[in-house]
């Protein structure tokens, strides 16, 4: 069974910085982690491999430093990893990102299951996985908490607002998984971590993919960020202390009137 996992290296949520000129995230030199939901996807892929055999290939689009994220995935148990990296991919929105990743997946060749995390914690769109499926023309199932394979059919448990539903889909299929006890990420061993550090991860650029340059990066992104700003810090509120509720209400009304709120 050929299994592919799409992962993203995201900035540490406490260290997010924005380039005021391009309105995009500054990633170089910023502490980064593997997107937590993508770790759930890796765990789901590894469990599928352990149950049915096959190979797990992890793929990521990002700057050169994203190699560190792929090494962590290899340490968890993935068999191969590929980094898709090129300045032409910079500033991509979900449509351009999914287009590029779909082209990379097609270059990898045949596949049975593609795993994605539910969403990335830096964008929270939950769009890239379903868009990849659309580009590839394969079935997609989101919010997956459990999965089994029977022949050429995937039996999938999907979470929704009212509970769970069971869906059957023909392979190949793309699924985005949620965080659950079924897919709690495993910890890599010291030996596997050291081995992953020595792994040579291939890097594919736009020249290696069958892509239209007009559909890459900022140029191929119909979604444009017009403005990013930090909301002003809230000032400390006013505490009203009076002997009676009537006096407190009277002073409150006076303060609201002075501030021209009422």
């Amino acid at each position: 069974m050929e299994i592919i996992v799409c992962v993203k290296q995201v900035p540490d949520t406490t260290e997010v910085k924005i380039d005021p000129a391009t309105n995009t995230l500054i990633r170089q030199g910023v502490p980064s982690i593997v997107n937590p939901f993508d770790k759930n996807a890796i765990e789901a892929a590894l469990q599928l491999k352990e149950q049915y055999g096959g190979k797990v290939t992890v793929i990521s689009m990002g700057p050169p430093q994203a190699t560190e994220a792929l090494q962590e995935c290899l340490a968890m148990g993935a068999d191969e990893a590929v980094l898709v990296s090129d300045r032409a991919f910079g500033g991509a929105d979900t449509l351009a990102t999914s287009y590029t990743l779909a082209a990379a997946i097609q270059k990898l060749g045949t596949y049975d299951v593609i795993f994605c995390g539910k969403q990335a914690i830096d964008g929270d769109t939950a769009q890239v996985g379903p868009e990849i499926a659309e580009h590839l023309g394969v079935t997609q199932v989101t919010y997956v908490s459990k999965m089994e394979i029977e022949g050429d059919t995937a039996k999938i448990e999907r979470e929704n607002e009212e509970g769970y539903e069971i869906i059957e889909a023909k392979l190949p299929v793309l699924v985005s998984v949620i965080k659950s006890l079924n897919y709690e990420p495993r910890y890599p061993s010291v030996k596997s971590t050291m081995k992953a550090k020595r792994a040579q991860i291939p890097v594919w650029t736009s020249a290696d993919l069958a892509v239209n340059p007009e559909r890459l990066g900022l140029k191929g992104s119909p979604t444009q960020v017009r403005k990013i700003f930090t909301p002003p810090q809230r000032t400390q509120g006013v505490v009203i202390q009076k002997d009676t509720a009537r006096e407190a209400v009277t002073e409150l009304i006076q303060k609201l009137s002075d501030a021209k709120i009422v």
Side-chain angles (χ1 to χ4, degrees):
M1 178 171 291
E2 296 293 330
I3 306 167
I4 297 173
V5 187
C6 297
V7 303
K8 183 179 183 182
Q9 187 184 51
V10 296
D12 190 310
T13 52
T14 62
E15 296 289 342
V16 171
K17 298 179 182 179
I18 303 295
D19 185 331
T22 62
N23 287 329
T24 58
L25 290 175
I26 299 174
R27 299 183 184 276
Q28 293 295 336
V30 177
S32 299
I33 58 174
V34 178
N35 180 48
F37 290 115
D38 294 345
K39 280 192 172 183
N40 300 126
I42 297 167
E43 179 60 35
L46 294 175
Q47 289 185 23
L48 203 65
K49 172 192 169 182
E50 291 167 353
Q51 188 170 0
Y52 302 102
K55 181 178 70 175
V56 175
T57 302
V58 182
I59 187 167
S60 181
M61 187 182 96
Q65 71 186 54
T67 299
E68 299 171 1
L70 292 173
Q71 288 174 336
E72 185 172 349
C73 298
L74 291 173
M76 287 179 66
D79 299 288
E80 297 180 0
V82 175
L83 175 62
V84 182
S85 184
D86 193 316
R87 288 187 178 276
F89 304 146
D93 68 358
T94 60
L95 183 63
T97 298
S98 61
Y99 171 72
T100 306
L101 286 172
I105 290 171
Q106 288 176 320
K107 180 177 173 65
L108 284 172
T110 59
Y111 51 86
D112 298 295
V113 183
I114 302 171
F115 283 99
C116 297
K118 181 184 73 169
Q119 63 197 61
I121 62 172
D122 59 348
D124 285 329
T125 65
Q127 294 174 353
V128 172
E131 287 176 354
I132 290 174
E134 186 68 20
H135 289 303
L136 296 174
V138 300
T139 302
Q140 57 165 299
V141 183
T142 57
Y143 301 100
V144 172
S145 59
K146 189 176 181 181
M147 181 175 179
E148 297 177 353
I149 303 295
E150 296 179 0
D152 64 348
T153 301
K155 188 175 182 180
I156 301 167
E157 182 181 272
R158 180 180 187 271
E159 184 182 72
N160 59 36
E161 294 179 353
E162 298 178 352
Y164 294 88
E165 56 185 340
I166 304 299
I167 297 174
E168 289 189 353
K170 292 292 184 181
L171 302 179
V173 63
L174 182 147
V175 298
S176 61
V177 304
I178 61 173
K179 181 179 180 179
S180 67
L181 292 177
N182 296 324
Y183 299 140
E184 186 67 28
R186 65 192 65 186
Y187 289 99
S189 66
V190 175
K191 182 178 180 180
S192 62
T193 300
M194 296 300 294
K195 181 180 178 181
K197 291 290 185 181
R198 297 191 297 269
Q200 296 296 316
I201 297 175
V203 179
W204 293 349
T205 67
S206 59
D208 298 309
L209 306 177
V211 291
N212 179 351
E214 298 298 316
R215 299 181 65 181
L216 304 176
L218 280 173
K219 187 182 295 185
S221 300
T223 305
Q224 299 291 329
V225 179
R226 300 298 297 271
K227 183 179 180 181
I228 291 180
F229 64 94
T230 302
Q233 187 174 1
R234 290 185 177 182
T235 58
Q236 187 174 358
V238 177
V239 178
I240 298 176
Q241 294 181 331
K242 294 293 181 180
D243 293 334
T244 67
R246 181 181 294 275
E247 292 175 345
V249 170
T250 300
E251 183 170 343
L252 174 60
I253 293 174
Q254 184 60 51
K255 289 185 178 296
L256 292 174
S257 178
D258 294 341
K260 301 186 184 303
I261 296 176
V262 296

